[in-house]
Amino acid sequence: MPLRASHFTVTRRSTGKLAGHAMLCPDARYATLRLFGETRLCRGFAHPAQWKTIEADLAIGWEKGHVPRASAVAKTLLGELDSEHALQFVTAIPFDVANGGAAAAFDAYLWQQAEHGL
């Protein structure tokens, strides 16, 4: 089943330096963050009503890719990270995944981005 996932970068506000990557796919209820130097992925969670807000946020988009910290997308992906971290939309990526394989495909994509420092 083809799914469309949104790829984001996480930067440090003070330096503008890349700190990690994040992926979000409302259809798969997938929200995950990968910070450089971390050995695990950080899962984001949202209630059904929050997913509707996330879908609306994604449909509107953001100027210059910057995602406001107060948005449902940023709250879900950045969670408890301090306000020093900023989220920027990069692109939407189509994934053709088998039933139940979405999370594994998205996880592999995040690990690959982090390994290459992209």
Side-chain angles (χ1 to χ4, degrees), residues 2-31:
L3 295 172
R4 186 174 168 99
S6 296
H7 175 192
F8 299 85
T9 56
V10 179
T11 57
R12 297 201 53 79
R13 289 184 190 275
S14 61
T15 63
K17 196 172 180 182
L18 188 62
H21 294 270
M23 294 279 300
L24 185 70
C25 181
D27 289 335
R29 297 299 190 249
Y30 179 91

Side-chain angles (χ1 to χ4, degrees), residues 44-62:
F45 297 95
H47 297 287
Q50 290 170 308
W51 280 111
K52 288 191 184 300
T53 304
I54 289 167
E55 290 169 350
D57 282 355
L58 291 172
I60 293 169
W62 298 276

Side-chain angles (χ1 to χ4, degrees), residues 79-94:
E80 299 296 320
L81 283 180
D82 58 39
S83 61
E84 170 62 14
H85 291 87
L87 190 67
Q88 294 205 351
F89 174 75
V90 176
T91 190
I93 304 164

Side-chain angles (χ1 to χ4, degrees), residues 26-79:
D27 289 335
R29 297 299 190 249
Y30 179 91
T32 300
L33 171 69
R34 168 67 164 102
L35 293 174
F36 296 142
E38 295 290 326
T39 58
R40 64 180 183 87
L41 299 173
C42 300
R43 304 286 186 204
F45 297 95
H47 297 287
Q50 290 170 308
W51 280 111
K52 288 191 184 300
T53 304
I54 289 167
E55 290 169 350
D57 282 355
L58 291 172
I60 293 169
W62 298 276
E63 185 177 332
K64 297 183 183 177
H66 174 74
V67 180
R69 186 67 187 222
S71 72
V73 168
K75 286 179 182 177
T76 301
L77 288 172
L78 298 179

